[in-house]
């Protein structure tokens, strides 16, 4: 498995490079410090299985950088975003840039899930019925590729 990790902090990059692959012959980790370096590697048609991008890299421009990396890929692959997003809008924009479109209501329901609320509590807070919440959860799970609500929370955190 080939992993490209773009991370701004050199200490973290070195740790990932040196310790993730320790004793793992099948795992190759390539680390870079900028989006520019990441683009060079992806444009060189190197076979990669997954990319991790630090939202705090010096030249990271959120959605624009994510789109640029996606466009540089020869074939689609998962891209994990590392680090905190500034706000709900940033999260939504990044999800949409990753081609996982969540509606506003799905996003509200996801926020409830992340807060540990039950369907009934989410319904009450959004002034909706539990049946409607279940409908949004089903759609949300499908878009996140999750098997259940717990898996949906894990996928959202990823």
């Amino acid at each position: 498995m080939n992993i490209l990790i773009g991370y701004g902090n050199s200490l973290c990059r070195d740790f990932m490079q040196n310790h993730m692959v320790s004793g793992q012959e099948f795992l190759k980790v390539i680390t870079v410090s900028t989006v520019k370096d990441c683009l060079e590697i992806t444009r060189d048609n190197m076979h990669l299985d997954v990319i991790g991008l630090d939202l705090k890299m010096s030249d990271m421009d959120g959605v624009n950088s994510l789109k640029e990396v996606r466009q540089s890929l020869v074939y689609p692959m998962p891209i994990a975003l590392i680090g905190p997003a500034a706000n709900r809008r940033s999260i939504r924009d990044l999800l949409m840039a990753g081609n996982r479109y969540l509606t506003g209501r799905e996003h509200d329901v996801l926020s409830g899930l992340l807060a540990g609320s039950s369907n009934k509590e989410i319904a009450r807070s959004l002034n909706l019925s539990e049946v409607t919440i279940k409908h949004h959860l089903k759609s949300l799970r499908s878009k996140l590729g999750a098997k259940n609500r717990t898996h949906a929370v894990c996928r959202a955190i990823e």
Side-chain angles (χ1 to χ4, degrees), residues 8-110:
N9 182 300
S10 63
L11 182 62
C12 291
R13 266 194 328 272
D14 292 346
F15 177 81
M16 287 183 252
Q17 181 71 49
N18 296 325
H19 297 286
M20 283 180 69
V21 297
S22 179
Q24 305 293 328
E25 295 173 15
F26 66 92
L27 187 63
K28 181 176 181 184
V29 177
I30 303 145
T31 58
V32 295
S33 61
T34 64
V35 174
K36 180 183 175 193
D37 293 341
C38 184
L39 290 170
E40 286 180 26
I41 288 175
T42 58
R43 287 184 182 136
D44 286 343
N45 298 325
M46 176 176 216
H47 175 76
L48 297 169
D49 297 296
V50 67
I51 297 173
L53 295 176
D54 176 14
L55 291 171
K56 297 288 186 183
M57 279 189 290
S58 61
D59 62 343
M60 176 56 107
D61 182 24
V63 173
N64 294 330
S65 293
L66 178 59
K67 285 181 180 178
E68 196 174 358
V69 170
R70 279 205 181 282
Q71 290 169 353
S72 73
L73 299 174
V74 176
Y75 53 91
M77 73 184 64
I79 298 177
L81 299 175
I82 305 165
N87 55 44
R88 290 178 81 184
R89 184 182 189 126
S90 297
I91 293 169
R92 187 187 71 231
D93 291 347
L94 289 166
L95 283 171
M96 290 176 70
N99 297 322
R100 289 200 178 151
Y101 301 95
L102 298 185
T103 66
R105 272 300 183 218
E106 288 167 343
H107 197 72
D108 293 340
V109 170
L110 179 58

